[in-house]
Amino acid sequence: MKVAFLDLHAINARYESRIKAAMERCFDSGWYVLGREVQAFEAAFGNYCGGRRAVGVGNGLDALTLALRALGIGPGDEVIVPGHTFIATWLAVTAVGAEPVPVDVCEHSANLDPMLIERAITPRTRAILPVHLYGHPADMPAILDIASAHGLAVLEDAAQAHGARLHGRVCGSFGDMAGFSFYPGKNLGALGDGGAVVCASDALAERVERLRNYGSRVRYAHEELGCNSRLDELQAAILNVKLDALEAENQRRRQIAARYAQGLAGLAELGLPATAEGAEPVWHLYVVRSAERDALQAYLAAHEVQTLIHYPTTPHRQPAYQGTPAAACAVPVSERLAASVLSLPMGSHLDDAQVDRVVDVIHQFYERRSA
Ligand SMILES: *Cc1c(COP(=O)(O)O)cnc(C)c1O
């Protein structure tokens, strides 16, 4: 039995007639940029994110970059980022001319360790940028306390956490701002690139609206140096269809995660993802930890189970960051995770038999090792 890591065609096929109808609606409208579909999606997604203002942008990296610009962060400023994340979190900070300052993560949540944040704060620190990695909420109450004690802004990287909750509150509604991605493989995925900035105030939302559109709110009046990064009208039409299905998609991911947890519980050699008290993760990824990660991945591949590694190299070890201050920092837990994490197949394309197959092959791997 083949088990695909992800099968976007199978997932999107379930919405085929509604997606095609939405695309036809766009075609017929004759209005292709910042039209009704973007407006409707911004209203619906903002509402979904705790009743905040949402502004559609070109992708998740731009969402984070424009959020930092709207917060007034730039050259000479420092932003605290997790040592273990997708590199886009860091690139947004670098893109505005600020310095990413890595802080290590917790072994079990793989998210920013609040105990380590204060020692990284300097007079130049302007913001904390926590990531809800793998769809598991970061420890936002602790992070917000530290931010308010030091007068720092908080920008959530919620690119993997559409609909995740902590103590009943949805991710993206904790900080001053949040960046979302609608890259096809995310929990809420378009059929191309897309992103959104979710904002705690009208003033911040208006600033992002300006920045994404040449620094202009009224045509040919340019108040600041903006860029062109608008959520595409066609992608917004598709996202309007898929937002309705997000809770059901997330629910299926939770069932799969529970089935993995139950099936793999007896394996002492395997680290399973923990769920913090009060957290309702959305399982963008189901990530296990193994000291024999590479051998386990090869064994699964040989048995037609596809897995991926998120992420094999920490941003501070990437060639792109060599020679920067961040490259010299110490984030031992992040490095340990990079060497041991393995993402199992996850998504609504999987049926229970496929999940059970993954569990069985992992058991086989460890039985053969101990035999
Ligand atoms: C996907 C992702 C991004 C970037 O989103 P894009 O739409 O691909 O630019 C940023 N941060 C994290 C944690 C992501 O997973």
Side-chain angles (χ1 to χ4, degrees), residues 249-330:
E249 291 282 343
N250 284 345
Q251 194 48 37
R252 177 61 191 145
R253 287 171 183 272
R254 289 192 179 105
Q255 287 171 353
I256 294 167
R259 206 171 178 90
Y260 275 138
Q262 197 175 26
L264 299 170
L267 287 171
E269 304 94 327
L270 199 69
L272 297 185
T275 297
E277 142 106 52
E280 298 169 64
V282 290
W283 303 103
H284 173 60
L285 296 167
Y286 190 89
V287 178
V288 297
R289 283 165 286 124
S290 168
E292 301 160 285
R293 189 262 314 276
D294 294 344
L296 175 59
Q297 183 176 41
Y299 189 82
L300 285 160
H303 292 79
E304 299 192 311
V305 175
Q306 278 182 357
T307 59
L308 291 173
I309 296 168
H310 299 91
Y311 299 89
T313 307
T314 57
H316 88 295
R317 293 277 183 217
Q318 293 285 358
Y321 278 102
Q322 291 330 293
T324 72
C329 75

Side-chain angles (χ1 to χ4, degrees), residues 59-61 64 85-86 88-89 131 157 159-160 181 183 186 194 311:
N59 55 65
L61 173 57
L64 295 170
T85 180
F86 181 52
T89 313
V131 182
D157 181 342
Q160 302 188 356
S181 164
Y183 181 79
K186 308 289 185 182
Y311 299 89

Side-chain angles (χ1 to χ4, degrees), residues 28-45:
D28 291 343
S29 77
W31 188 280
Y32 305 120
V33 172
L34 292 185
R36 278 203 184 132
E37 299 290 342
V38 168
Q39 239 173 40
F41 178 71
E42 288 177 340
F45 192 66

